[in-house]
Amino acid sequence: MPFIRFKSMYEKYTTQGGRNPKSRDLAYCSHIDAYIYQLYAHKMTKKYNELTNAIGIGKCVTAYRNTFPGQCNIDFAYDVFKFIRKTDSCFIIIGDFTKFFDRLDHNYLKEQCCKILGVTRLPEDYYKVFKSITKYSWFESDDLIKLTNSKNYKEFKTSKRDMIFSNYDEFRKAKKNHLKKNKKKYGIPQGSPLSALFANVYMLEFDKAINNFATSNNGLYRRYSDDFIIVLPSSSQKICSQWNYVDSVRKNIPNLGLQPSKTKVFRYENGTLANCDTLLLARVCRQKKCGIMEKTLRGLFRG
């Protein structure tokens, strides 16, 4: 069945006290499809966990996992802060991948799924499930709100109807006029029970390469969905070449772009934190006025 896509609205707050409205496209699937996706997510998660533990990245991937009972983002962040505070001097790189779910390359994702399952070709049932996620179709929630005479999305979502369309003729007419399809060779819907696992599977090679690089340099790497942090005990002379390596690994993964505004570099030394973005951009280390992330980190370090 088609997905129902809607915009999830939320607000972020600036350091000046202003509000910055944001939106994210999320998609609901039908109940029967959700059960199918949950089943295959369960099967593949077991394989994924086995492989990540075997190659030593079981702890560095923290999003959408069932291997951290009783822990949440606060615990994961605290572990990173503790690691940083134990170092005399280090560089901290944080980043965010641009439109992560919308850009996942289908062929590369399929290759990684095969790697997880230990096969060269997806079994027929797995392939059909994979195809339904990559070549998906959807209705926009705004269109369904109008078709069902609902006042807004909240009323549409909480209605007591067992089904949106009373018969197949209505459904077929709605499909003809309102159904949209992903005809691109990239992108999966964010919100299905299988999408989160696919996101982690897609990042398998990146996680492995960056974690090995960080640990070989006495550092630390963590990723939560499309956000990551790399801690490298290093010098100003070495960090540029180290960043070049990290960026080269990223460029080898199809469609894995960074958001420039969310890519930050900090220098931690003697209990203080300085913003050093220009070290990697202009090859000159220059302290800037603290932003919200830097202030937050400083407060935690003081604690």
Side-chain angles (χ1 to χ4, degrees), residues 249-295:
V249 174
R250 176 191 64 83
K251 290 177 180 177
N252 283 332
I253 311 298
N255 295 350
L256 198 61
L258 283 174
Q259 289 199 43
S261 63
K262 294 184 178 180
T263 302
K264 302 291 182 181
V265 185
F266 299 94
R267 175 70 179 268
Y268 175 72
E269 190 171 20
N270 298 324
T272 62
L273 198 71
N275 186 313
C276 295
D277 290 350
T278 51
L279 176 65
L280 299 186
L281 300 178
R283 299 297 192 265
V284 178
C285 188
R286 178 171 58 88
Q287 293 190 12
K288 295 181 179 180
K289 186 177 181 180
C290 294
I292 184 66
M293 176 63 75
E294 186 173 347
K295 289 179 179 178

Side-chain angles (χ1 to χ4, degrees), residues 61-109:
V61 184
T62 58
Y64 318 127
R65 304 291 303 280
N66 58 3
T67 53
F68 302 99
Q71 291 186 295
C72 67
N73 292 0
I74 297 173
D75 300 289
F76 305 145
Y78 181 60
D79 288 341
V80 176
F81 294 139
K82 285 196 301 183
F83 183 89
I84 294 171
R85 292 177 68 174
K86 289 180 180 178
T87 64
D88 295 328
S89 174
C90 67
F91 281 92
I92 305 163
I93 303 171
I94 60 174
D96 185 291
F97 299 118
T98 304
K99 296 183 178 179
F100 186 48
F101 287 87
D102 295 335
R103 293 165 58 98
L104 300 186
D105 181 87
H106 295 165
N107 286 334
Y108 183 78
L109 176 59

Side-chain angles (χ1 to χ4, degrees), residues 97-114 122 130-131 133-136 182-189 195 198-204 250-257:
F97 299 118
T98 304
K99 296 183 178 179
F100 186 48
F101 287 87
D102 295 335
R103 293 165 58 98
L104 300 186
D105 181 87
H106 295 165
N107 286 334
Y108 183 78
L109 176 59
K110 185 165 63 174
E111 291 175 5
Q112 299 307 105
C113 287
C114 288
L122 288 179
F130 174 86
K131 189 175 180 180
I133 286 286
T134 53
K135 298 299 181 181
Y136 64 101
N182 182 33
K183 297 181 180 180
K184 301 174 183 177
K185 295 181 179 181
Y186 55 86
I188 64 174
S195 298
F198 274 4
N200 278 340
V201 169
Y202 193 87
M203 295 297 293
L204 185 67
R250 176 191 64 83
K251 290 177 180 177
N252 283 332
I253 311 298
N255 295 350
L256 198 61

Side-chain angles (χ1 to χ4, degrees), residues 20-249:
N20 186 16
K22 298 282 187 177
S23 67
R24 177 178 295 154
D25 287 330
L26 298 178
Y28 282 136
C29 56
S30 69
H31 290 306
I32 186 67
D33 289 348
Y35 293 139
I36 296 171
Y37 291 143
Q38 286 172 355
L39 172 63
Y40 282 85
H42 175 74
K43 291 181 177 181
M44 293 190 69
T45 294
K46 182 179 179 181
K47 296 285 187 180
Y48 173 80
N49 289 339
E50 290 173 353
L51 181 57
T52 54
N53 288 333
I55 62 178
I57 62 172
K59 291 184 178 181
C60 69
V61 184
T62 58
Y64 318 127
R65 304 291 303 280
N66 58 3
T67 53
F68 302 99
Q71 291 186 295
C72 67
N73 292 0
I74 297 173
D75 300 289
F76 305 145
Y78 181 60
D79 288 341
V80 176
F81 294 139
K82 285 196 301 183
F83 183 89
I84 294 171
R85 292 177 68 174
K86 289 180 180 178
T87 64
D88 295 328
S89 174
C90 67
F91 281 92
I92 305 163
I93 303 171
I94 60 174
D96 185 291
F97 299 118
T98 304
K99 296 183 178 179
F100 186 48
F101 287 87
D102 295 335
R103 293 165 58 98
L104 300 186
D105 181 87
H106 295 165
N107 286 334
Y108 183 78
L109 176 59
K110 185 165 63 174
E111 291 175 5
Q112 299 307 105
C113 287
C114 288
K115 187 174 296 184
I116 293 296
L117 297 173
V119 297
T120 57
R121 183 185 179 92
L122 288 179
E124 184 178 0
D125 56 331
Y126 279 86
Y127 178 71
K128 287 185 176 180
V129 172
F130 174 86
K131 189 175 180 180
S132 73
I133 286 286
T134 53
K135 298 299 181 181
Y136 64 101
S137 60
W138 75 91
F139 286 112
E140 294 289 352
S141 60
D142 288 344
D143 292 333
L144 294 180
I145 289 170
K146 294 176 182 177
L147 289 172
T148 56
N149 296 316
S150 301
K151 294 180 181 179
N152 48 46
Y153 182 72
K154 183 177 180 181
E155 181 182 293
F156 166 75
K157 182 181 176 183
T158 57
S159 66
K160 301 298 182 181
R161 262 185 265 101
D162 291 329
M163 57 184 66
I164 298 171
F165 305 105
S166 59
N167 56 63
Y168 187 74
D169 287 338
E170 286 186 8
F171 176 61
R172 184 165 52 189
K173 183 179 179 180
K175 282 179 63 177
K176 181 179 179 181
N177 297 326
H178 300 287
L179 189 70
K180 299 180 180 180
K181 297 181 180 180
N182 182 33
K183 297 181 180 180
K184 301 174 183 177
K185 295 181 179 181
Y186 55 86
I188 64 174
Q190 185 175 358
S192 84
L194 194 54
S195 298
L197 173 66
F198 274 4
N200 278 340
V201 169
Y202 193 87
M203 295 297 293
L204 185 67
E205 292 301 322
F206 181 90
D207 292 335
K208 178 183 176 182
I210 301 303
N211 184 65
N212 289 346
F213 175 74
T215 54
S216 67
N217 285 277
N218 300 314
L220 176 137
Y221 164 69
R222 293 289 185 269
R223 179 179 62 81
Y224 189 92
S225 189
D226 56 355
D227 297 291
F228 67 88
I229 184 167
I230 305 171
V231 182
L232 292 170
S234 184
S235 64
S236 299
Q237 291 73 31
K238 291 176 57 179
I239 189 62
C240 292
S241 62
Q242 290 176 328
W243 165 252
N244 287 338
Y245 174 79
V246 171
D247 204 37
S248 69
V249 174

